[in-house]
Amino acid sequence: MAGIITNNAANRPASTSPAANHQFALVALTSLFFMWGFITCLNDILIPHLKNVFHLNYTQSMLIQLCFFGAYFIVSLPAGALVKRISYKWGIVTGLVISAIGCALFVPAASYRVYALFLGALFVLATGITVLQVAANPYVTVLGPPDTAASRLTLTQAFNSLGTTLAPVFGAFLILSAATAAVAGATPEQLDAIRIAEADAVKFPYMLLAAAFLVLAAIFAALKLPQVEGSDEIEPITGGGSAWQYRHLVLGAVGIFLYVGAEVSIGSFLVNFMSQPDIAGFSEAEAAHHVSYFWGGAMIGRFIGAVAMRYVDDGKALAVNAAAVIVLLLLTVFSGGHVAMWSVLAIGLFNSIMFPTIFSLALYGLGKHTSQGSGILCLAIVGGAILPLIQGALADTIGIHLAFLMPILCYAYIAFYGLKGHRPT
């Protein structure tokens, strides 16, 4: 999932700092995109792991995404006010420190083996990630010409996807592989001890992540980042006093809600889906390794899109990619075995350009209302909290295979937005 644009970033000129300083800042900020991509995708490994530890059904396990993406809805606007008050640089540092605290809270959660504590730790972690994104994204939008903002966002999201590609391998090695080895051949009398060991398996990886966040916080505290000068006087394409009057923005917010919800829903079920006997019959550790193909496809697509989007119409590219995903989802639902597995994994390639493209199309022409429009789009990320719960309920009632029908409706709307809905009126 891509980052958030806030505080009129799309309409702000860069400061008079040398271009070299801007390039260095962009490289430094790219590391943050990597980290929050890594953290977000690690949830896809955490879901099947905690589902086993606490004997959860699919709906209950999707509470992980509800707590994580619910933080975007709750924290986005307060985070914007905080960043405006303390500056982008110290907003980044604050977000990194809060993220470190959230990771550290996994240790007591694992020690007490309480699911609610895991959910609380995830909410704190997501709060830090939200502050981090609100503070970091304005730099990406201003460090270059406005007409290449979508291309630049797509490029930075490619490094976000590098994090999502590596996270499943990290999680499979440090979390799921240990759990699989412990469960194999276990007697009923040993199961309780095994569950304790499974819960403890999250301690080491999340402590490593806490340390990484603290190191990054120290680095950014020492960095001299270029200033971003505001300009709230740029006129929008039409007169008026609110971003809500722009039909293409409101429809774009719906598109963000549905896209994030669909992407998170699909990613959340990949491990359990590929573990089904009629799909691939993988162990959870094997399935987690294959999740990297899903996110690796998104990474490749974003590197390609960073170049191609300079020459291809944004709306048409969005519609074509959404149509391709619909075809792949139909193959996933109405086939089985490795055809269904590779169909669902290939969706990542076509997801690649969707978030930054919808975001940039929705903000087009808002002028001085861009800040408000950005806040509206930020709130729409809550789709990642709500739609996975719906798919989880479907999986519990009609089965995990047929539950993939739900995202088809989301991508049908995204195709409409690319063809028609994004056009300003």
Side-chain angles (χ1 to χ4, degrees):
M1 189 201 67
I4 302 170
I5 307 171
T6 57
N7 297 314
N8 212 23
N11 289 317
R12 292 189 176 193
S15 68
T16 57
S17 301
N21 288 344
H22 290 170
Q23 292 175 359
F24 176 77
L26 188 58
V27 171
L29 291 166
T30 298
S31 68
L32 301 182
F33 279 80
F34 173 87
M35 284 300 295
W36 66 60
F38 191 97
I39 285 290
T40 303
C41 188
L42 201 58
N43 289 347
D44 296 342
I45 305 304
L46 200 61
I47 287 168
H49 181 68
L50 295 184
K51 184 176 184 292
N52 286 336
V53 171
F54 294 103
H55 306 287
L56 307 173
N57 60 30
Y58 287 115
T59 306
Q60 292 168 332
S61 65
M62 287 304 115
L63 291 175
I64 290 173
Q65 301 293 26
L66 176 67
C67 288
F68 193 86
F69 285 94
Y72 284 87
F73 185 79
I74 296 171
V75 178
S76 287
L77 295 182
L82 174 68
V83 170
K84 186 175 181 180
R85 183 179 182 87
I86 66 175
S87 81
Y88 293 115
K89 171 182 172 176
W90 292 109
I92 290 171
V93 174
T94 301
L96 288 166
V97 171
I98 295 173
S99 298
I101 293 171
C103 288
L105 288 175
F106 274 77
V107 174
S111 297
Y112 288 103
R113 289 184 66 207
V114 177
Y115 187 45
L117 291 180
F118 278 105
L119 297 179
L122 276 167
F123 184 84
V124 174
L125 173 57
T127 296
I129 295 296
T130 303
V131 175
L132 195 59
Q133 293 198 43
V134 167
N137 274 275
Y139 288 103
V140 177
T141 62
V142 301
L143 297 179
D147 58 348
T148 59
S151 171
R152 196 161 53 255
L153 278 172
T154 301
L155 177 61
T156 53
Q157 257 93 101
F159 289 94
N160 177 278
S161 293
L162 178 61
T164 61
T165 302
L166 296 178
V169 178
F170 177 86
F173 179 72
L174 291 179
I175 298 176
L176 293 182
S177 61
T180 303
V183 171
T187 62
E189 291 77 16
Q190 296 172 315
L191 285 178
D192 189 57
I194 290 172
R195 298 308 178 201
I196 294 174
E198 287 181 333
D200 287 343
V202 305
K203 289 182 179 180
F204 178 66
Y206 277 91
M207 284 306 297
L208 282 180
L209 291 169
F213 278 121
L214 289 176
V215 169
L216 282 173
I219 291 172
F220 273 89
L223 284 179
K224 291 184 178 180
L225 296 177
Q227 295 296 314
V228 178
E229 298 171 359
S231 177
D232 293 327
E233 303 304 321
I234 300 175
E235 288 302 317
I237 53 177
T238 62
S242 172
W244 286 104
Q245 69 182 328
Y246 295 93
R247 175 179 174 272
H248 70 285
L249 169 71
V250 176
L251 294 179
V254 176
I256 290 292
F257 179 93
L258 294 175
Y259 169 71
V260 175
E263 181 193 53
V264 173
S265 296
I266 293 169
S268 299
F269 281 91
L270 287 177
V271 171
N272 290 120
F273 181 68
M274 289 185 287
S275 300
Q276 300 295 306
D278 60 334
I279 303 301
F282 288 150
S283 68
E284 289 184 345
E286 290 174 316
H289 282 290
H290 280 73
V291 172
S292 293
Y293 291 111
F294 179 84
W295 296 109
M299 177 181 66
I300 293 170
R302 283 169 176 168
F303 278 119
I304 295 172
V307 177
M309 296 295 286
R310 295 174 181 264
Y311 310 102
V312 180
D313 180 79
D314 292 351
K316 291 179 181 177
L318 182 63
V320 168
N321 278 266
V325 172
I326 291 171
V327 172
L328 290 170
L329 281 169
L330 289 172
L331 279 173
T332 300
V333 172
F334 295 109
S335 66
H338 285 272
V339 173
M341 182 188 79
W342 288 111
S343 295
V344 75
L345 291 177
I347 289 171
L349 176 65
F350 297 97
N351 271 344
S352 55
I353 59 118
M354 289 191 187
F355 190 102
T357 302
I358 297 171
F359 226 110
S360 59
L361 289 173
L363 293 179
Y364 176 79
L366 265 64
K368 61 187 179 183
H369 301 310
T370 302
S371 180
Q372 183 188 13
S374 299
I376 293 169
L377 296 177
C378 293
L379 297 178
I381 294 175
V382 74
I386 296 173
L387 294 189
L389 272 179
I390 296 175
Q391 187 159 335
L394 288 172
D396 286 328
T397 53
I398 64 176
I400 190 172
H401 207 153
L402 291 176
F404 281 95
L405 287 169
M406 188 273 290
I408 291 176
L409 301 176
C410 302
Y411 287 102
Y413 177 89
I414 293 169
F416 154 75
Y417 187 73
L419 289 174
K420 187 176 179 180
H422 74 279
R423 296 173 183 169
T425 57

